[in-house]
Amino acid sequence: MFGLEAIAHNNGWTIAATGAGIVFAGLSALSFVISQLHKLVALLDRPPKTIVEVVVEETKPIWMPPDCPNDIQVAITLYHPLIEELPSEFELAELYGLAKKYHLPHPHLSIRCLRDAGKLEFLGDGLFRYVA
Amino acid sequence: MDLILQFLHNTGFYLADYRNLIMIVVGSFFVYLAIHKNYEPLLLLPIGFGVILGNIPFFKGFGIGIYEANSVLHYLYFGVTSGVYPSIIFLGLGAMTDFSFLLANPKLMLLGAAAQMGIFFTYLCALGLGFTAPEASSIGIIGGADGPTSIFLTAKLAPHLIGPIAIAAYSYMALIPIIQPPIMLLLTSREERLIRMPEMREVSRKEIIIFPVVGMILCTFLAPASIPLLGPFFFGNILKESGVVDRLANTARTAIIDTATILVGLTVGASTQGDVFLNPKSVGIFLLGAVAFSIATASGILFGKFMNLFLKEKINPLLGAAGVSAVPGSAREVHMMGQREDRTNFLLMHAVACNSSGVIGSAVCAGILWSFLIG
């Protein structure tokens, strides 16, 4: 048997068409799968979600040095009576002691401000005097 | 005197048949092509020498010839008739194949599928010429341009045709530089041959490792009869890509495949004894093999052109010619054809992608044809 008759007799058309279709479908499917493979890999590579416990620490008040008294005159008014109690030449520690004794606010800072303002003149040997 | 005469009667000179002499000339020509022209020497040299060896006239009945039980050649030939050698060759082939090019551009796999159309076209032609369905399938698979696959399917469906089919398949693989370029030139314009392929994306190691597993599952689920070929093929590939068994991968892609290639070449060559081989069927098989190979090449190229109708980023249709699974000959030919038009156009890697797809495609085709005909 030869020719088209032989092909038809052996189911040739069906086998060829089905075979070609299956190969094409199979390789197309494989092609699709491998085209998506990098997405799958990216999914696997994604770092696991971890619950990060954010510990909110109680914020301790941070000590901030207070500003110099805005008005140096106020400091002079407050400290002048103390200086009056001291000898004309005195040590800053003595003035500080008195300020603490009378509960004046920010004695250390205020004394520094008085110095910066030139109201306390340094005489040497740790002694100061008040400049009016 | 009688003893001398008896001895002379047993020599090849006395027993020589003109068919043996023709085949010895053919074998010598193969050896010449392999050594002098460097045409696929890895295949043609063992086959050519095997053809010469198999056609040395001998006194039958002594257990010498390849078709005589208990002969050494017969035992070696068992690897061919049982389909063992093709599986082993596929193992080595897998350990050599780099799928990263295919993974980077998966649509090239369709060209590998399209190039398999030569198989089914030739199957129809062979049926039309009066071959039986199993014989026609075995002849058609020559269009896959895959020697081991052709041997495997023929061993299963038409073992009496192994010799001519294997010789045809391997010969046409060796003759790629002669067969493919005219078809490429005929079916493509210069503009098409000048198309440059886009830069390939980088493929991650995980993708490369996952692919052999996914590929094997998908292909063998579709055509379980292709397990003996695709199983070792993807196994060889995962040996290579896993990176943890370099010794095994190295052995598979060197010693194992080389041994199998030597044995398959020599025994297939030796199976072409003139009295068995030289008949009208063999001539028909050779002619149909040429048709199969040409149609496969053409269908790959034409499908490439068809894809370009829909693709924004055009592909070079020459790549379709590499959809046949003649690794790496057809990929090299495509690359050279591209370079002939533009020295700076590098198509090799893309063609290798089509080639590896073709290997899978032809093995799936073999599985499908086997499934259809064993039922």
Side-chain angles (χ1 to χ4, degrees), chain A residues 1-3 6-7 10 12-13 15-16 18-20 22-24 26-31 33-35 37-38 41 44-45, chain B residues 103 106 109-110 113-114 117 120 123-124 127-130 201 204 206-207 210-211 214-215 218-219 222 303 361 365 368 372:
Chain A
M1 203 183 295
F2 293 93
I7 296 174
N10 287 293
W13 301 114
I15 288 178
T18 315
I22 293 173
V23 172
F24 227 97
L27 291 193
S28 302
L30 185 57
S31 166
V33 169
I34 61 176
S35 70
L37 212 55
H38 67 281
V41 169
L44 294 174
D45 277 346
Chain B
L103 289 166
M109 186 163 253
L110 298 179
M117 297 308 114
F120 296 102
Y123 168 73
L124 293 176
L127 282 180
L129 286 174
R201 75 172 172 87
S204 72
K206 279 186 183 164
E207 280 177 86
I210 292 171
F211 175 72
V214 173
L218 203 65
C219 293
L222 188 71
F303 193 76
C365 281
I368 290 169
F372 279 146

Side-chain angles (χ1 to χ4, degrees), chain B residues 47-68:
Chain B
I47 289 176
F49 200 84
V51 171
I52 299 172
L53 181 71
N55 282 282
I56 303 295
F58 60 90
F59 193 81
K60 294 205 170 139
F62 282 1
I64 297 169
I66 200 162
Y67 294 113
E68 292 188 304

Side-chain angles (χ1 to χ4, degrees), chain A residues 22-23, chain B residues 141 149 152-153 157 219 222-230 360-374:
Chain A
I22 293 173
V23 172
Chain B
I141 205 75
T149 306
F152 178 80
L153 188 66
L157 294 178
C219 293
L222 188 71
S226 61
I227 289 173
L229 295 174
L230 290 179
I360 298 171
S362 62
V364 170
C365 281
I368 290 169
L369 286 171
W370 191 19
S371 314
F372 279 146
L373 295 170
I374 52 173

